Amino acid sequence: NLQAAEQAGLLLIANGITTALDAGSTFSIDVPDISRQFSDGELIGPTLYTGQVAYGPGDNAGTQHTVSSPQEATQYTQLIKSLGFNFIKFYWQLSTPTIEQFFTESENFNMPVIGHIPKTQSMFRSLYQGQKLAVHIQEPHVTFMNNFRDPNLFPTVAEIFLQHGTYLSPTLAVFESWILVSGNHFDNYTDLINREGHQYTPQVIKNIWRNYFNQAGIQNGNHEDLLDLLDFYMLMTKALFEAGVPLLTGTDATGFPGVMAGYGVHEELRLFYEAGIPIPDVFAATTRNAGDFIKLTLNEDIDFGTIEVGKRADFIMTNNNPLQSLETVKNPEAVMASGRFWSKDYLQLLLDDLDFNTNKDSNPTALPYCNHHNFKP
């Protein structure tokens, strides 16, 4: 709901997340307006870029997001541009003529295409036409690889991504959540929903977790086979990294048990490292690469992603060297985002107000930033 979306900004900042991309959601929450409130300081939150999803008729999704023809692609792009979105997010079953029109409108409206790689045409064609980001490690697996788990295809996948300059966000955290609970593994479900951060997660999100776990597909899932799939995705992530494909850290939606705003990013960093990616490169995927991606796609005046004069003032402060352990960045001593500075103690006070495990009556609808620590970027 709206309150959960607004409060997610605090959870992101408290976890050191200074920039985020919401790739697509329903129209029931005005995500571009939340982005503006973060930017204006009305709510605590990161710089937030926004995309909106476009489904094909075969995706069986909500009709308000279903785009069935080139004419509708033009209308839909005009609509989401007028609402303030930055990106067009593809889903799997868009028709080939509709995809082609979306790429035309992408150029016309300066709205880069990201998202799933459509199954209705070759992966090479989608990336050649201009798709800038694939949002899951699953994408090349279900499109180019036709769901086969063949590591011999990794070099060709990497070559196609590199040839077209397309980024990849593996989102291993959501696949881990899905796989751990599949096959009615209630013990894994309990562990996931009690991860650090659950005390700040509203009940509306926890209800989604419960409904997700109880659905037939999860209860009847082949747990052992899916564990093998997770190993395959970890192997592919490392292979594409070693080939030079630019990676971004992402976690998909909070509907997966235990994947929480802010806290989920640390699970993704952990999984990158467990896949065999060195710590400096893990951090590069979530800092420098993110800045490079936005510069490539949106060409903004102020860059970010590295600490340099003239760039956006985004960084965290830690007591220890983060290159020695990923644990160091889980509890930053201070966070600066877009030139606004928040201490750990101040952020903890606000988190305490969100602690749903207490009997407090506090129900904040706005999360102010610390005015006396407001610096120019």
Side-chain angles (χ1 to χ4, degrees), residues 1-276:
N1 62 12
L2 177 59
Q3 186 178 6
E6 293 174 342
Q7 292 169 349
L10 170 60
L11 301 182
L12 291 167
I13 290 295
N15 280 276
I17 312 304
T18 60
T19 304
L21 165 61
D22 183 295
S25 60
T26 69
F27 287 117
S28 61
I29 297 175
D30 189 344
V31 181
D33 187 61
I34 292 176
S35 173
R36 179 198 60 77
Q37 292 180 70
F38 289 164
S39 177
D40 292 347
E42 296 173 22
L43 297 171
I44 284 185
T47 299
L48 179 63
Y49 299 97
T50 59
Q52 190 53 282
V53 64
Y55 294 107
D59 290 310
N60 298 317
T63 55
Q64 62 180 343
H65 295 292
T66 298
V67 183
S68 303
S69 68
Q71 181 182 11
E72 289 183 9
T74 297
Q75 295 169 346
Y76 194 73
T77 306
Q78 291 172 338
L79 171 64
I80 63 176
K81 180 69 174 183
S82 69
L83 294 174
F85 291 94
N86 305 113
F87 294 92
I88 303 165
K89 180 188 177 185
F90 278 179
Y91 217 78
W92 278 330
Q93 298 297 336
L94 290 163
S95 71
T96 298
T98 302
I99 291 170
E100 186 171 349
Q101 189 63 32
F102 263 128
F103 279 115
T104 297
E105 303 305 343
S106 170
E107 292 291 329
N108 291 338
F109 289 95
N110 189 29
M111 296 191 73
V113 171
I114 62 173
H116 298 259
I117 299 174
K119 296 180 180 180
T120 50
Q121 62 181 29
S122 71
M123 183 179 81
F124 181 93
R125 180 171 180 173
S126 292
L127 272 54
Y128 170 80
Q129 288 173 304
Q131 182 163 343
K132 303 301 184 184
L133 168 66
V135 294
H136 304 295
I137 193 68
Q138 177 189 29
E139 299 311 312
H141 180 221
V142 301
T143 54
F144 180 79
M145 304 173 77
N146 293 315
N147 286 304
F148 290 112
R149 301 176 194 177
D150 184 0
N152 294 317
L153 295 175
F154 292 166
T156 307
V157 170
E159 180 182 356
I160 295 173
F161 269 76
L162 289 168
Q163 183 177 351
H164 300 105
T166 306
Y167 283 64
L168 174 67
S169 178
T171 65
L172 294 169
V174 297
F175 291 112
E176 181 186 56
S177 172
W178 163 49
I179 288 164
L180 286 178
V181 302
S182 290
N184 191 24
H185 276 260
F186 186 75
D187 52 343
N188 290 340
Y189 173 75
T190 301
D191 289 342
L192 287 172
I193 66 172
N194 285 292
R195 279 175 168 172
E196 176 60 25
H198 76 92
Q199 65 270 39
Y200 311 123
T201 301
Q203 190 61 44
V204 64
I205 301 297
K206 294 181 178 180
N207 291 343
I208 295 173
W209 294 348
R210 184 185 64 244
N211 293 337
Y212 177 90
F213 178 69
N214 287 331
Q215 63 183 325
I218 295 298
Q219 293 294 303
N220 300 323
N222 186 332
H223 186 69
E224 295 304 319
D225 180 67
L226 290 175
L227 286 174
D228 179 76
L229 178 63
L230 180 59
D231 288 341
F232 178 75
Y233 283 166
M234 299 275 278
L235 187 65
M236 179 156 55
T237 297
K238 182 183 180 183
L240 297 185
F241 159 74
E242 290 180 339
V245 175
L247 302 182
L248 299 176
T249 54
T251 61
D252 204 344
T254 55
F256 293 84
V259 181
M260 294 164 274
Y263 297 90
V265 173
H266 297 294
E267 304 302 333
E268 187 75 359
L269 299 180
R270 169 183 59 82
L271 289 163
F272 270 41
Y273 181 67
E274 290 178 1

Side-chain angles (χ1 to χ4, degrees), residues 295-309:
K295 183 176 181 179
L296 170 71
T297 55
L298 299 181
N299 195 28
E300 293 191 331
D301 293 335
I302 299 179
D303 296 339
F304 69 98
T306 57
I307 299 177
E308 299 178 57
V309 173

